[in-house]
């Protein structure tokens, strides 16, 4: 029997014992099975859709009950979502279901084990609108790897305005550049409100919006790349005119002070506060405004998207990109497939519609959903004005090999716009010529690398001489 | 034999105590450094499993990028604005707060130190509100004088200086604590003796405080300069490197390529990170060399002055002996 009196513990022995125990605990925590939520604990679902957080939380709870397996939903802020996925992948803790925020084409994700095949029942496949699953975009060799839930038929540079201010100041919804100038001038003359704000500090967002405005103005391509020739042409007049319009608005003092550094929530929040006339934002603005100031929703109005002279709007977009991926190492493939099937249901599509974020894949659900009138009007406008664009990776799957190797460009269009409006860039045309040349060079280099690795791809894959504006492209 | 065994057991304990440090230092410091050197030699987007060895081409690409050199220039400019303000500003404040005549010294020390313990990102966000040209308090004050709104963070000409001043305010307290600690090392007796000899405040400062604090200048300067190279969290939350790259310090440049690019370029970003490490090393080494050299010159000068005065004293004594002057 151990006698207490014989148990002599020196200070050193005690501290050492505690240290060794702590070390052992640390090592055990590093190597042992984790009790915290992680791989194997149920379905983990990550996304970056801020406007859908409440809805997705509720959907996860409902699906957990239906499937009889835990569904843990987590939202990652868009600016951090990519980093979170990279770190999760490196520590082999990729969530079972995650939203698509990566810039990599599908084959690269498949090759690296990021995604696994999605098996949908015939019933679920039947619910998808025609042309949803496209080879090279969401499928490879007939196997589905990504599930779209959001519509490709949308435009992003919507002219949102405050209907109360419009009534007070007395301007008509602007459809052309001149009408916008006149409306802004009338607000400035009135003196009670700031005429306009933009998310100029978020250069990626202003890039998207000017890409959209240029296409609306007749640029025969998207993101600087001409469909007909397969060459970059950021220096096209459509781009220059759209940027000059923003410059004029800025120089006239029509932008709310601080706009030059506004991130997306700043610009949207200031507009939603009710003292700013106009904001250019995506169709998802009502969802964002609801989260910031729901009282502003009834004042929201939109004039669609500007064209230089008020011409009919024509927009082209590629096939629906995957919204959802399934992790390559998921241990819950069957349950995850069932969860994804639930995203094709009309009630989920209605949830998306009522969130008034990005329009749902099935645009028809919006008509019956509880949404504000301008959102419903926009979605109807999308059906009439947005057409399917040609994509090199759809015509030739090997183009994906080159797309995965393209080096990003800096400064990109959004940076140049920010610099031009702030006075740091003085030669706009020169910068745009340089930008086109850099994009052309990077694409050529990527094609050369891919070709060198055995891919049968050439610059010709990017040229669609038979493309016609205002017509869905068919291969 | 027993002594050896006791010695071995004692060594074992030493290693046991050191082990957590070795492990944590290895995992969180050595491994990332080694890994970043490896990544800088490969082409890797962080998504694909393939890491293609490309030799020094990432370094060549970084060095050929004008935005890298712009970020180097901005980082050095930021350091040149911030470091002297922190070092000398904190020095004079510490002298003031160390004065026994000043009331509420503990209160003031706490007030100046408070920003140091506040989360940097929170300060960045709050400062954006304060400097908001549409609705912030600064705009309100400017408006009182009938002046147009000033967009300090939205103008490339003012953004860097503004963030630098916020940075100085945020980290001023830590440098002040260094100086206060240094001031505590000067014995009170020396001051008392000087006062008895009739020395005033300025002479005490010039001939006692300053020389006795000089050895601390090196370490405080090195620590502060090294610290000034790490302003990512404040800069990212206040300006994210904008407008038009005017506040893009190297850390933001690295982050942009590693995590914010449409297709992340981890190899390229790692090469920039390695070059950044070299830059920090060079600046600190240059600064240490300059300080040590000036100290050596100074000590040589005082040594020669001492020797000269000794000679003068000896010569004077000989003259006195020979002439018999000075005898009673």
């Amino acid at each position: 029997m151990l006698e207490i009196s014989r148990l002599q513990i020196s200070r050193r022995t005690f501290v050492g014992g505690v240290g060794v125990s702590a070390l052992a605990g640390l090592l055990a925590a590093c190597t042992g099975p984790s009790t915290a939520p992680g791989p194997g604990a149920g379905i983990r679902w990550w996304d970056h859709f801020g406007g859908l957080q409440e809805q997705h939380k509720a959907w996860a709870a409902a699906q957990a009950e239906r499937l009889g397996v835990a569904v843990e939903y987590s939202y990652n802020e868009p600016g951090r979502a990519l980093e979170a996925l990279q770190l999760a992948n490196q520590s082999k803790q990729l969530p079972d279901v995650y939203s698509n925020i990566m810039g990599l084409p599908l084959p690269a994700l498949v090759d690296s084990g990021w995604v696994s095949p999605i098996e949908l029942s015939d019933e679920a496949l039947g619910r998808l609108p025609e042309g949803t699953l496209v080879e090279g975009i969401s499928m490879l060799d007939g196997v589905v790897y990504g599930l779209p839930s959001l519509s490709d038929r949308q435009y992003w540079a919507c002219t949102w305005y405050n209907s109360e201010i419009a009534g007070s100041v007395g301007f008509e919804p602007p459809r052309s550049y001149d009408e916008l100038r006149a409306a802004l001038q009338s607000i400035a003359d009135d003196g009670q409100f700031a005429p306009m704000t933009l998310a100029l500090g978020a250069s990626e967002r202003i890039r998207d919006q000017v890409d959209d405005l240029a296409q609306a103005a007749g640029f025969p391509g998207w993101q600087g790349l001409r469909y007909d020739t397969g060459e970059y042409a950021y220096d096209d007049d459509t781009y220059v005119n759209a940027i000059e319009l923003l410059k004029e608005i800025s120089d006239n003092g029509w932008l709310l002070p601080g706009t030059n550094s506004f991130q997306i929530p700043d610009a949207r929040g200031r507009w939603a506060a009710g003292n700013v006339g106009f904001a250019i934002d995506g169709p998802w603005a009502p969802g964002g405004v609801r989260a910031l100031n729901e009282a502003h929703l009834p004042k929201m109005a939109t004039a669609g998207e500007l064209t230089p002279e008020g011409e009919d709007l024509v927009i082209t977009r590629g096939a629906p990109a995957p919204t959802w991926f399934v992790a390559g190492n998921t241990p819950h493939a069957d349950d995850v497939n069932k969860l994804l099937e639930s995203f094709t249901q009309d009630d989920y599509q209605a949830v998306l519609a009522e969130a008034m974020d990005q329009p749902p894949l099935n645009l028809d659900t919006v008509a019956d959903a509880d949404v504000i009138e301008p959102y419903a009007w926009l979605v109807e406008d999308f059906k009439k004005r947005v057409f399917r664009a040609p994509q090199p990776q759809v015509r030739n799957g090997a183009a994906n090999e080159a797309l995965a190797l393209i080096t990003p460009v800096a400064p990109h269009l959004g940076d140049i716009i920010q610099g031009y409006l702030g006075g740091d860039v003085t030669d706009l045309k020169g910068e745009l010529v340089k930008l086109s040349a850099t994009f052309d060079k990077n694409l050529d280099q990527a094609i050369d690398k891919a070709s060198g690795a055995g891919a049968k791809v050439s610059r010709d894959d990017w040229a669609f001489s038979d493309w016609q504006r205002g017509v869905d492209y068919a291969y | 034999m027993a002594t050896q065994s006791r010695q071995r057991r004692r060594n074992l304990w030493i290693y046991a105590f050191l082990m957590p440090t070795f492990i944590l230092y290895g995992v969180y410091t050595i491994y990332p450094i080694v890994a970043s050197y490896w990544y800088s030699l490969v082409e890797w987007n962080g998504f694909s499993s393939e890491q293609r060895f490309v030799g020094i081409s990432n370094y060549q690409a970084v060095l050929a990028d004008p935005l890298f050199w712009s970020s180097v220039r901005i980082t050095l400019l930021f350091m040149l604005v911030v470091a002297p303000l922190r070092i000398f500003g904190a020095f004079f404040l510490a002298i003031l707060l160390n004065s026994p005549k000043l009331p509420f010294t503990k209160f003031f020390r706490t007030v100046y130190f408070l920003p140091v313990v506040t989360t940097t990102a929170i300060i960045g966000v709050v400062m954006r509100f304060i400097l908001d040209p549409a609705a912030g308090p600064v705009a309100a004050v400017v408006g009182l004088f009938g002046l147009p709104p000033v967009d300090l963070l939205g103008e490339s000409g003012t953004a860097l200086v503004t963030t630098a001043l916020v940075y100085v305010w945020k980290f001023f307290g830590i440098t002040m604590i260094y100086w206060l600690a240094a001031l505590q090392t000067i014995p009170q007796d020396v001051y008392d003796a000087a006062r008895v000899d009739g020395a005033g405040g300025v002479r005490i400062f010039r001939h006692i405080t300053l020389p006795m604090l000089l050895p601390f200048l090196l370490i405080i300067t090195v620590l502060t300069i090294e610290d000034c190279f790490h302003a990512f969290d404040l800069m990212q939350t206040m300006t994210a490197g904008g407008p038009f790259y005017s506040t893009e310090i190297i850390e933001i440049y690295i982050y942009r390529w590693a995590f914010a690019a449409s297709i992340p370029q981890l190899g390229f970003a790692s090469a920039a990170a390695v070059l950044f490490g070299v830059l920090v090393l060079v600046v600190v080494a240059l600064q240490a060399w300059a300080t040590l050299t000036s100290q050596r010159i100074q000590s040589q000068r005082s040594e020669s002055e001492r020797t000269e005065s000794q000679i003068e004293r000896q010569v004077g004594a000989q003259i006195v002996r020979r002439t018999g002057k000075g005898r009673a």
Side-chain angles (χ1 to χ4, degrees), chain A residues 12-13 15-17 19-20 23 26-27 79-80 82-83 85-87 89-90 101-105 108-109 111-112 114 204 256-263 266 270 403-412 415-416 418-420 422 424-425 449, chain B residues 9-10 13 16-17 19-20 23-24 28 39 43-50 52 65 67 128-129 132-135 149-151 153-157 232 236-240 242-246 255-266:
Chain A
R12 176 179 293 175
T13 312
V15 175
V20 170
L23 185 63
L26 182 73
L27 291 173
R80 301 282 176 274
L82 184 66
E83 192 180 343
L85 284 171
Q86 280 179 307
L87 296 173
N89 182 52
Q90 282 165 28
I101 198 162
M102 287 90 77
L104 277 187
L109 295 172
D111 289 346
S112 308
W114 271 77
E204 293 81 7
L256 180 73
T259 292
N260 207 30
S261 54
F262 279 174
Q263 298 298 310
D266 302 323
R270 302 309 165 90
L403 289 172
L405 297 171
I406 292 179
T407 310
V409 171
H412 61 65
D415 300 320
I416 292 170
Q418 193 189 52
Y420 187 55
D424 297 297
V425 171
K449 273 188 207 171
Chain B
R9 208 176 315 128
R10 186 171 158 273
W13 278 116
F17 281 121
M19 197 52 79
I23 291 173
L24 294 175
Y28 292 108
Y39 291 146
E43 192 178 84
W44 185 43
N45 55 33
F47 290 112
S48 67
S49 47
E50 187 197 5
R52 201 165 62 89
D65 182 4
L67 287 176
R128 279 184 54 207
F129 285 115
D132 185 331
V150 185
D151 192 0
L153 295 176
E155 303 284 339
S156 53
F232 174 80
Q236 181 68 14
T237 46
M238 284 187 76
T239 63
F244 197 65
Y245 304 100
S246 60
Y255 177 82
R256 178 161 61 79
W257 284 105
F259 295 111
S262 53
I263 300 179
Q265 307 289 311
L266 288 176

Side-chain angles (χ1 to χ4, degrees), chain A residues 277-353:
Chain A
F278 282 88
I280 304 244
D281 204 344
W284 49 83
V289 166
R290 177 155 57 194
L292 293 164
N293 178 21
E294 195 164 357
H296 189 67
L297 276 179
K299 299 175 198 167
M300 290 185 76
T302 183
E305 184 165 322
L306 293 172
T307 52
E309 304 289 340
E311 307 94 323
D312 276 348
L313 180 67
V314 175
I315 291 288
T316 47
R317 285 289 187 277
T323 309
W324 304 110
F325 288 128
V326 174
N329 60 351
T330 178
H332 306 286
D334 288 345
D335 289 328
V336 168
N337 282 325
K338 285 176 189 155
L339 174 66
L340 290 187
E341 281 183 0
S342 77
F343 294 158
T344 65
Q345 292 169 196
D346 283 348
D347 48 351
Y348 177 74
Q349 291 286 301
V351 164
L352 291 183

Side-chain angles (χ1 to χ4, degrees), chain B residues 36 60 133 190 197 232 242 290 293:
Chain B
S36 66
Q60 288 170 328
V190 183
D197 288 347
F232 174 80
T293 308

